[in-house]
Amino acid sequence: MGLNPGAAGFHGDRLGNGVHVLTECMPGVRSVAVGAWVRQGAALDGPGQAGASHLLEHLVFRGTGSRSRRQIARSLESVGGSLNAYTSREHTGYEARVLASYLSRAVDVISDLVRDPRLAEGDLEQEKMVVGEEIAAVEDTPDDLVFELHGERLWRGHPYGRSILGTRDSVAAISRDDLAGLHRDRYVGANLVVAAAGAVQHEEFLGLADEWFGQIEPGSEAPGVPDPPAPEEGIDRVARDASQMHIVLGRTTPGHSHRDRHALILLAAALGGGMSSRLFQRVREELALAYAVFSYQSFYTRGGVSGVYAGTRPGKAPEALDAIRNVYRHIAAEGLPRDELDRVKEQVKGQVMLSQESPGARLHRLAGFALYREPFVTLEELTGRIDSVSNCDIVRVAADVFEPERQYALCLGPH
């Protein structure tokens, strides 16, 4: 990652063991958001171990060498703070938000989870049951399940299409030794990013990071995700007893660092980014074919996905799908007219600026630069990049990504 120490409020350093330490000071706030990220996620789970990264993230909260499950839960809640974790395709994150006076305690707790999880056999069996309930909840929620099925087929077996939760069989087969090995190999200095945003001073936080993370073994970075294959195209239908037909239409895109990312973000906003978007106006307001219709995007290191979800009455599913594809066809052929492009730019810039007013949002953004090995970009520089997207960029990207015949659609619902 290229550091940009001249950027207001931003600082970056590395500890001797390779841990990447970042801070962004936000004047005028009294709290601080702090987190640690491991370059290990569902797309990096080993063969036959789908769901291992997520299961390990759950298990660390069962206890560490110095804290019980209950002590972990109370450690920050007792002072008004919060503690959370998540697993994504390529990363696992542990985060807290506290008043600035409790920053040291938050770093201590997070480092305890990362460095010294107990990983007891009895805890593992209990946590497998909890994850099993998560899997069941997705299976019982068609508008969640349709994304899982669509991603699995769209990526044609590539790890980006793998369920973060894993399957019942894969989770059941994961042993305590498997998770201990995963922790030993991946929770290492070269694979760690530690960051804080809000009422924080860099030198103070750097000292805390060195105190609590500096003794972790340096290790080596996790191997990269392989390049994805050509994506699936066409239409699939999956029978499901439900009152609605759930439709996801999507295509793979370039990855997080690609120059076309901002053009894709603008196009997704124009298509389904709010009540003024083309799909909302056409599919819901004009044709009354859906209550919910929206665009979504995810960007990973080696690729991404851009798509649309709609829920409609089973008998209207072909009509709804045709309406979505027609909107795609129009935007792929013509891009966006100047006035619409200008309006969408203002919409996206406003959403970005509003979303970044909390330390938690700044923390996620800050960590992302290190996780994707990108130079730090101020919010002003970011809005400038959005403004710099030209109509030629929009036309080129729209023709490549949003051509309806190149999409993959999955319809989940009654026959």
Side-chain angles (χ1 to χ4, degrees):
M1 171 187 169
L3 300 180
N4 183 8
F10 166 77
H11 296 275
D13 275 294
R14 283 190 185 273
L15 302 182
N17 59 355
V19 174
H20 206 155
V21 182
L22 305 169
T23 61
E24 185 177 7
C25 179
M26 298 173 62
V29 300
R30 297 182 178 181
S31 65
V32 59
V34 57
W37 286 262
V38 187
R39 290 190 180 92
Q40 174 63 37
L44 295 167
D45 287 340
Q49 293 188 351
S53 296
H54 175 255
L55 183 59
L56 177 58
E57 173 240 306
H58 270 237
L59 191 58
V60 301
F61 283 86
R62 285 279 178 174
T64 68
S66 58
R67 287 182 172 90
S68 67
R69 177 180 78 249
R70 193 176 299 275
Q71 287 172 326
I72 292 171
R74 289 176 175 174
S75 59
L76 300 183
E77 286 186 1
S78 63
V79 294
S82 61
L83 180 64
N84 200 7
Y86 70 92
T87 305
S88 68
R89 305 290 176 194
E90 295 177 302
H91 314 122
T92 304
Y94 301 88
E95 304 170 359
R97 187 171 180 188
V98 292
L99 293 174
S101 56
Y102 292 105
L103 173 60
S104 178
R105 182 187 295 198
V107 178
D108 173 10
V109 173
I110 290 175
S111 72
D112 200 21
L113 296 174
V114 170
R115 290 182 298 110
D116 193 26
R118 186 170 56 191
L119 305 182
E121 190 72 52
D123 293 337
L124 173 59
E125 294 309 311
Q126 286 187 309
E127 209 55 48
K128 284 183 178 182
M129 292 192 294
V130 173
V131 173
E133 294 302 320
E134 276 193 273
I135 294 172
V138 171
E139 292 173 344
D140 283 348
T141 312
D143 51 347
D144 287 339
L145 180 62
V146 68
F147 284 96
E148 296 270 301
L149 297 175
H150 182 271
E152 178 184 334
R153 300 180 186 201
L154 173 70
W155 291 100
R156 289 183 168 176
H158 186 271
Y160 283 154
R162 184 181 295 161
S163 170
I164 291 172
L165 303 180
T167 67
R168 285 187 176 83
D169 289 342
S170 69
V171 170
I174 295 170
S175 69
R176 190 253 176 215
D177 288 344
D178 292 331
L179 296 185
L182 180 64
H183 182 267
R184 181 183 61 251
D185 293 343
R186 300 295 168 82
Y187 281 53
V188 294
N191 230 20
L192 273 171
V193 173
V194 178
V200 59
Q201 298 301 315
H202 182 70
E203 292 304 320
E204 176 192 3
F205 184 71
L206 183 62
L208 290 171
D210 191 39
E211 177 183 358
W212 295 108
F213 291 92
Q215 302 307 311
I216 292 176
E217 287 295 320
S220 57
E221 289 188 8
V225 177
D227 289 331
E232 186 64 81
E233 298 176 358
I235 302 175
D236 276 340
R237 295 169 180 83
V238 177
R240 177 82 176 193
D241 185 15
S243 58
Q244 274 195 311
M245 185 71 76
H246 301 271
I247 301 171
V248 171
L249 182 80
R251 179 168 174 80
T252 60
T253 70
H256 193 277
S257 301
H258 197 275
R259 64 188 179 94
D260 288 335
R261 179 159 61 97
H262 296 103
L264 283 163
I265 290 170
L266 292 172
L267 282 162
L271 279 166
M275 291 190 296
S276 62
S277 66
R278 292 188 178 199
L279 284 167
F280 191 94
Q281 287 296 314
R282 179 60 177 162
V283 177
R284 173 173 163 151
E285 299 296 276
E286 295 177 19
L287 300 177
L289 291 173
Y291 171 73
V293 55
F294 57 84
S295 62
Y296 70 95
Q297 283 187 324
S298 296
F299 295 105
Y300 315 124
T301 301
R302 300 289 186 185
V305 60
S306 183
V308 165
Y309 164 85
T312 187
R313 300 180 297 281
K316 293 293 185 178
E319 188 178 344
L321 186 55
D322 284 345
I324 295 170
R325 288 164 63 89
N326 285 336
V327 172
Y328 267 51
R329 187 171 290 110
H330 189 269
I331 209 167
E334 300 183 14
L336 299 174
R338 171 64 62 183
D339 62 334
E340 185 177 5
L341 178 56
D342 290 343
R343 186 174 68 250
V344 171
K345 285 181 178 180
E346 292 303 311
Q347 174 187 343
V348 170
K349 288 189 297 182
Q351 290 171 341
V352 167
M353 298 301 286
L354 290 171
S355 71
Q356 294 300 307
E357 291 195 344
S358 75
R362 290 288 184 100
L363 178 69
H364 272 250
R365 182 172 180 271
L366 182 63
F369 292 118
L371 292 170
Y372 292 107
R373 300 176 178 85
E374 297 173 358
F376 180 83
V377 176
T378 66
L379 290 176
E380 290 71 22
E381 290 171 329
L382 176 58
T383 57
R385 293 185 181 187
I386 293 170
D387 278 332
S388 70
V389 175
S390 69
N391 191 56
C392 291
D393 295 328
I394 292 293
V395 170
R396 174 178 52 80
V397 173
D400 178 50
V401 176
F402 296 102
E403 171 60 44
E405 279 65 38
R406 302 177 69 187
Q407 302 290 313
Y408 174 63
L410 188 138
C411 304
L412 175 69
H415 285 290

